Amino acid sequence: MRLADLNGRSVAIWGTGREGRAAVTAIAKQKPSRLIAVDDSANFLSVPWDEFAETAPLAGGDHAFPALVTADVVVRSPGVPQTHPWMKELRERGVTVTGGSALWMADNAARTIGVTGSKGKSTTSSLISHLLAAVGRPNSFGGNIGVPLLDLPPAAQYVLELSSYQCADLTDSPRVAVVTSLFPEHLDAHGGEEEYYRDKLNLLRHGPEMIVVNGSDLRLRDKIRGISDLHGFPPIPAGADDSRFRIHDEWVYCSDEPLFHREALHLKGAHNGRNLCVALAVLDGLGVDVPGSKDELEAAVEAFEGLPHRLAEIEDPSGLTFVDDTLSTSPYSAIHAIEAYASRPLTVLVGGTDRGLDYAPLREFLADRELTVIGIPDSGPRILEALAGLAGVRTENAEDLPSAVRLARKLTPSGGVVLLSPAAPSYGRYRNFEHRSEAFATAIRESA
């Protein structure tokens, strides 16, 4: 379904955040027969909606569900989960449910590189955009990073970071579809592990011209078995030992040719090296002469700055290195972060909103390692319980994040690392991950 298909139809926009507002602006231009916005939250009366009220009146409370079921098309925001009880009833009644990302993609897929993954999608999409610009291919960067697709300006080329929520509604794949990793995430919003994989990998299922994946992710390689691109070719694996683009002996290779040293990329961790390989494979597939452009690409890689809240180092007069990895919301992302600092004395702060995740993979990873793990509410105690009995792992509970920082200062040897990689979301005690990051920085300053 395209935006133009909404002309003369009754449309309800479900959600009043950035995505919902972008949808109102874009869909109103198509002249639907009715356009209404729906907010099913308890505080719908406090939603600032005056700017859009004339274009799309806001329905909430007892009016919310009737507004949805009487529409021809419901455009849901990514924050509305697949497991919402109204979703099933809407589909049973024959109401078409789509999303703003799907509407946008239907018109722009041929000019789009779409990147998703349980981890690494932000860094990889940023790298692709940055490296394309460095070799003279301007592009517009957006998506899950904060710019709704329906708000993107016209461009010849788009590079997008796409969440599982955005991928779920797609009926058109981007020209180039990229998957960086796959592990259980957001299960409460998708309905289960297999449902999450289904929604995530929907990015690949509608005829992309090229598919690039992290070839070292065994779960991902298993889940995409049998999937091919528009031409019948299997996904291109990058970052694995047998990939065209790979890292060997700390050098980035294209086939048998070394391009530049891994240290050109300042981002720590083996996973970020693989993200770079995936980005280079995308450029290669788009016709960029990567070996012939290696000098320009090396300079661009050296200039690339890491994204906020992802293994971001904070200097401290004590000699300790504090690391903000607050976007870590699963045991797998915490594993990657711990791996990046495995050579130094390490204290890890874990805990946040408890979604009932299984922390057995974290226990297995830490079985032969030595470090300190401090648990913070709400899920911290449960994570520590999952790690109980590991010979090299010291576990301590803290009543809150500032207390954990103070305790970490006492327990971490000189020259060591204090890593906030919570393996859990921030909501509940914090407004969002930025708020948790601010609280971490404040705790570091005040305890210095």
Side-chain angles (χ1 to χ4, degrees):
M1 175 174 284
R2 288 174 161 75
L3 277 168
D5 296 330
L6 301 179
N7 176 258
R9 305 185 76 180
S10 172
V11 180
I13 296 170
W14 191 359
T16 54
R18 285 179 299 192
E19 295 278 349
R21 291 159 188 254
V24 168
T25 302
I27 293 170
K29 297 174 184 176
Q30 309 305 318
K31 298 185 178 350
S33 62
R34 182 192 76 161
L35 183 59
I36 193 166
V38 175
D39 189 312
D40 63 312
S41 66
N43 64 340
F44 73 95
L45 290 173
S46 64
V47 172
W49 198 249
D50 290 349
E51 179 183 351
F52 303 94
E54 186 173 345
T55 305
L58 180 60
D62 293 338
H63 300 291
F65 184 64
L68 293 173
V69 296
T70 55
D72 299 321
V73 180
V74 170
V75 180
R76 73 177 181 112
S77 295
V80 177
Q82 293 278 31
T83 53
H84 195 293
W86 292 352
M87 288 286 286
K88 183 171 183 268
E89 188 158 356
L90 287 171
R91 287 178 168 136
E92 286 176 350
R93 294 189 182 207
V95 178
T96 299
V97 181
T98 186
S101 298
L103 292 169
W104 183 93
M105 190 69 75
D107 289 323
N108 296 283
R111 295 176 288 163
T112 300
I113 301 163
V115 183
T116 196
S118 303
K119 183 175 176 61
K121 60 184 179 293
S122 301
T123 297
T124 304
S125 54
S126 299
L127 265 170
I128 293 169
S129 175
H130 180 71
L131 297 181
L132 282 173
V135 294
R137 298 201 179 188
N139 58 88
S140 180
F141 182 42
N144 191 49
I145 58 164
V147 182
L149 271 59
L150 289 172
D151 273 348
L152 289 174
Q157 178 79 72
Y158 296 96
V159 180
L160 305 179
E161 177 199 338
L162 298 170
S163 69
S164 55
Y165 311 117
Q166 291 171 302
C167 292
D169 291 322
L170 297 181
T171 53
D172 301 84
S173 290
R175 180 189 176 199
V176 180
V178 182
V179 187
T180 61
S181 61
L182 199 63
F183 53 75
E185 259 280 46
H186 307 301
L187 304 188
D188 50 342
H190 292 271
E193 186 169 335
E194 290 306 314
E195 289 81 4
Y196 168 70
Y197 297 154
R198 174 202 66 201
D199 291 345
K200 193 69 136 173
L201 297 178
N202 189 48
L203 181 76
L204 313 180
R205 294 196 170 97
H206 305 283
E209 292 185 26
M210 181 173 69
I211 301 171
V212 180
V213 300
N214 170 10
S216 70
D217 189 318
L218 298 182
R219 180 186 283 107
L220 173 57
R221 294 185 78 157
D222 179 61
K223 292 296 180 183
I224 62 173
R225 191 171 288 117
I227 292 179
S228 59
D229 64 23
L230 184 64
H231 309 291
F233 293 112
I236 298 168
D241 292 341
D242 58 350
S243 299
R244 172 170 164 80
F245 290 93
R246 66 192 186 282
I247 293 176
H248 178 66
D249 289 339
E250 293 302 306
W251 282 82
V252 181
Y253 274 82
C254 174
S255 297
D256 295 328
E257 180 177 348
L259 299 176
F260 44 80
H261 200 273
R262 164 63 177 85
E263 287 183 353
L265 181 66
H266 302 308
L267 308 187
K268 289 181 166 54
H271 64 291
N272 278 320
R274 293 189 289 268
N275 291 337
L276 173 60
C277 291
V278 169
L280 292 171
V282 170
L283 267 67
D284 183 61
L286 289 172
V288 174
D289 179 3
V290 173
S293 306
K294 66 181 181 181
D295 291 341
E296 295 95 325
L297 290 170
E298 180 179 12
V301 169
E302 287 185 330
F304 183 76
E305 296 183 3
L307 299 171
H309 320 299
R310 292 172 176 85
L311 295 181
E313 295 188 356
I314 303 170
E315 293 302 323
D316 187 75
S318 67
L320 295 176
T321 300
F322 287 84
V323 181
D324 176 8
D325 192 45
T326 191
L327 278 174
S328 164
T329 59
S330 78
Y332 298 93
S333 55
I335 286 169
H336 287 147
I338 293 167
E339 200 173 37
Y341 290 93
S343 63
R344 296 174 63 181
L346 182 60
T347 297
V348 186
L349 314 185
V350 298
T353 306
D354 196 339
R355 296 180 297 169
L357 294 178
D358 179 10
Y359 287 96
L362 182 59
R363 178 185 176 86
E364 182 179 347
F365 173 76
L366 296 178
D368 57 354
R369 295 174 183 266
E370 293 187 2
L371 74 166
T372 298
V373 181
I374 300 175
I376 56 178
D378 294 319
S379 60
R382 191 170 70 81
I383 298 173
L384 298 191
E385 185 177 335
L387 305 180
L390 294 179
V393 178
R394 174 176 179 174
T395 59
E396 299 281 350
N397 269 305
E399 63 182 18
D400 54 24
L401 184 53
S403 300
V405 170
R406 291 193 297 271
L407 181 58
R409 285 191 180 277
K410 296 177 183 177
L411 300 180
T412 310
S414 177
V417 174
V418 178
L419 169 64
L420 173 64
S421 192
S426 55
Y427 294 107
R429 294 182 176 257
Y430 298 98
R431 294 188 302 274
N432 47 39
F433 68 87
E434 291 100 339
H435 185 204
R436 180 164 64 183
S437 180
E438 291 170 9
F440 183 50
T442 299
I444 294 168
R445 287 194 306 271
E446 293 183 348
S447 64

